[in-house]
């Protein structure tokens, strides 16, 4: 997704806007730009590529002006070239946009027929052109023209606009993509999230769905979808300036992998009472006793967290779980249970497909729970119950610490479900909670294998294709391992249920294809090891991830990574670490851009 910043400042704003864009670069990063109002005129600098390209341009040709907007782009319509970079501008207005204008083709045809000259291949430019038509043809004031534009565009968006001849006005709108207004001393800010605004202010007001706002240095007015003036609550954001720091690590991903013992502990503290290993009270609206069926949905890594949780809900709460990726679930004609519940898992809380699937489930009367990292996010706002993880900002595009925090949260939910439904005794509950409380320590122990994993990864990075296999809860772990690897190292990888290997993928095995075997000493261990021997018999190269006992019993393997002993069903919480480190070091061995891999975005707010 793209990142938006706008500032009405006391002095020149281009450099502060650039600094804020740096904090948003993780969202999208194929081009960027800034527009300011200088002596009444719109002036812009834009550049394809990462932000340093824009930095060079600003260095060579600085921008003056006390009002401005900026944008980092993740291309949807139009290639990532300078002409398509935001802000888009006409003589009257300059805009930045996050999201998609669904009816842009019809609007573009209509505007082209009126003689409007388009300078980009983007959907976003229709916003600037529409506003201009209303200003030029109807003599509309900026706010009127902006409203008329909002009346014409369909889709999901966040927009900020500045106007020629007025350096004390930013107009902004939110529909489907978040937007926050920050209040400073005699200065005002607008941004995609509180994180972008953290260096300037912590007094933040989030626009609601369908709102638009007129912002001046003196203050701002918010209007709802009907145009009525509304008050939105100002909050004191806890996003701090320091969070963008890599803390001595080479990459955010490395920092975030290493943060896991701490943030998993923080997340756990939201749900359990460590003094007696019991669950705290949470999820008041989510009564598992009354549920006949649970639906879980998410995208990417969050989906794999959900897939692991399915095993827990079924085992501990005997609750049937329907799980699907959000982009599929939302279009299936699901016979939802009458007294059903649905849990949506999302780090950002803004993923468009997950939000749409949530709305679909809600429309079918399901009780909605959201496992999110960002408390003010759209998914959190639309849920009946929020189960907030405590991962802190995750900047690396490949999700790591959010995954383990999602898992620990879902584990607590599944234990609560078992308790609510009378299926777990007090002793069983505290046994599981106690096992969860061990996880931060075990993650720290797993991290100690880092040097060994780096060595193995250097070998792994030479492969063109890699398979990951596992059974039970290690099956989703295999899927997540393959996803992590392909995301950041660009090595083709696939995850398979170990038992499925013989039904096709085994045809791929030869001495060039390493197979990562995720096999803790649980009840599936022997079967998975048999599958591993089928690989060895065909000249394949197994890399076994198991505990000491498992590695010893397995016999000769190409390579092994030792993981600490865990509760059999909770092993993914610990095995996530070697799997993440393997991908990380394979990527660094290949020299790819680990934190901002090509073509990906941190959170995808388009379908
Ligand atoms: C993108 C990211 C993934 C993430 C997925 C879901 O594809 O690259 O790392 O797992 O979105 O994001 P969410 O914010 O909903 O967890």
């Amino acid at each position: 997704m793209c990142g938006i910043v706008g500032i009405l400042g006391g002095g020149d704003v281009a450099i502060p806007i650039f600094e804020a864009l740096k904090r948003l670069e993780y969202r999208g990063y194929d081009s960027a730009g800034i527009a300011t109002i200088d002596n009444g005129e719109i002036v812009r600098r834009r550049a394809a590529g990462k932000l340093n390209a824009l930095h060079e341009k600003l260095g060579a040709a600085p921008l003056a002006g006390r009002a401005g907007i900026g944008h980092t782009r993740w291309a949807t319509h139009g290639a990532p070239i300078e002409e398509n970079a935001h802000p888009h501008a006409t003589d009257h207005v300059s805009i930045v946009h996050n999201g998609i204008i669904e009816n842009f083709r019809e609007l573009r045809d209509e505007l082209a027929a009126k003689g409007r000259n388009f300078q980009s291949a983007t959907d976003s430019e229709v916003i600037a052109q529409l506003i201009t038509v209303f200003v030029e043809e109807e003599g509309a004031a900026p706010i009127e023209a902006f409203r008329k534009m909002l009346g014409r565009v369909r889709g999901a968006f966040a927009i900020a606009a500045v106007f020629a001849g007025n350096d004390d006005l930013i107009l902004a709108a939110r529909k489907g993509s978040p937007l926050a207004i920050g209040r400073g001393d005699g200065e005002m800010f607008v941004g995609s999230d509180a994180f972008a605004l953290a260096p300037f202010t912590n007094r933040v007001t989030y626009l609601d769905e369908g709102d638009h706002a007129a912002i001046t240095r003196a203050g701002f007015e918010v209007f709802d979808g009907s145009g009525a003036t509304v008050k939105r609550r100002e909050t004191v954001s806890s996003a701090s300036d320091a969070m963008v720091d890599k803390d001595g690590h080479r990459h955010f991903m490395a920092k975030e992998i290493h943060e896991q013992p701490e943030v998993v502990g923080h997340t756990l503290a939201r749900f359990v009472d460590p003094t007696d290993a019991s669950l705290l009270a949470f999820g008041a609206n989510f009564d598992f006793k009354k549920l006949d069926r649970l639906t879980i949905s998410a995208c990417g890594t969050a989906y794999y967290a959900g897939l692991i949780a399915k095993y827990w809900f079924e085992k501990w709460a005997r609750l049937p779980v329907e799980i699907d990726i959000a982009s599929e679930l939302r279009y299936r004609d699901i016979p939802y249970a009458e007294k059903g519940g649905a849990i949506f898992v999302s780090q950002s809380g803004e993923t468009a497909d997950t939000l749409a699937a949530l709305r679909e489930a809600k429309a079918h009367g399901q009780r909605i729970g959201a496992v999110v990292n960002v408390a003010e996010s759209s998914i959190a706002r639309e849920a009946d119950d929020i189960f907030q993880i405590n991962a802190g900002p995750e900047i690396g595009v490949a999700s790591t610490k959010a995954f383990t925090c999602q898992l620990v949260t879902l584990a607590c939910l599944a234990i609560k479900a078992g308790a609510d439904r009378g299926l777990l005794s007090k002793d069983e509950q505290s046994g599981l909670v106690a096992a969860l409380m061990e996880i931060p320590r075990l993650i720290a122990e797993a991290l100690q294998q880092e040097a060994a994993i780096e060595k193995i990864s250097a070998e792994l990075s030479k492969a063109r294709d890699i398979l990951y296999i596992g059974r039970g809860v290690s099956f989703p772990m295999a899927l997540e391992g393959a996803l992590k690897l392909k995301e950041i190292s660009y090595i083709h990888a696939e995850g398979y249920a170990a038992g499925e290997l013989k039904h096709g993928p085994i045809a791929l095995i030869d001495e060039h294809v390493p197979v990562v075997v995720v096999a803790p000493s649980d009840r599936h261990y022997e079967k998975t090891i048999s599958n591993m021997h089928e690989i060895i018999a065909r000249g394949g190269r197994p890399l076994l991830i198991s505990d000491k006992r498992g590695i010893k019993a397995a016999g000769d393997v190409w390579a092994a990574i030792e993981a600490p002993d865990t509760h059999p069903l909770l092993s993914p919480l610990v095995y996530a670490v070697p799997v993440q480190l393997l991908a990380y070091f394979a990527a660094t061995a290949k020299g790819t851009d680990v934190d901002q891999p090509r073509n990906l975005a941190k959170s995808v707010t388009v379908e």
Side-chain angles (χ1 to χ4, degrees), residues 382-428:
E382 298 195 20
D384 298 309
D385 268 299
I386 305 169
F387 307 109
Q388 200 202 335
I389 68 171
N390 224 351
E394 191 180 63
I395 306 294
V397 161
S399 186
T400 52
K401 61 174 180 170
F403 176 67
T404 40
C405 289
Q406 285 160 355
L407 283 178
V408 86
T409 304
L410 288 163
C412 290
L413 276 168
I415 299 169
K416 173 180 157 59
D420 283 0
R421 293 162 73 80
L423 288 157
L424 289 178
S425 68
K426 275 261 172 286
D427 277 358
E428 285 167 323

Side-chain angles (χ1 to χ4, degrees), residues 298-303 345-351 354 379 394 396-399 406 483-484 487 600-604:
C299 301
T301 290
Y303 168 68
V345 189
S346 174
Q347 187 282 127
S348 61
E350 300 297 344
T351 302
T354 311
I379 288 174
E394 191 180 63
V397 161
S399 186
Q406 285 160 355
L483 176 67
K484 217 66 321 151
E487 272 182 315
L600 297 181
K602 182 65 188 157
S603 164
V604 183

Side-chain angles (χ1 to χ4, degrees), residues 10 18 28 64 70 83 92 146 230 271 306 320 443 463 469 511 544:
F18 180 80
E83 294 84 89
H92 294 281
F146 191 76
V230 283
F271 302 106
I443 291 179
I469 60 167
E511 68 278 18
L544 175 64

Side-chain angles (χ1 to χ4, degrees), residues 49 53 109 135 137 161 185 201 259 306 326 373 422 516 521 532 557 579 604:
D109 290 349
V135 170
E137 291 182 6
D185 286 331
T201 180
E259 276 174 346
N373 195 24
V516 179
S521 296
M532 185 182 82
V557 287
V579 151
V604 183

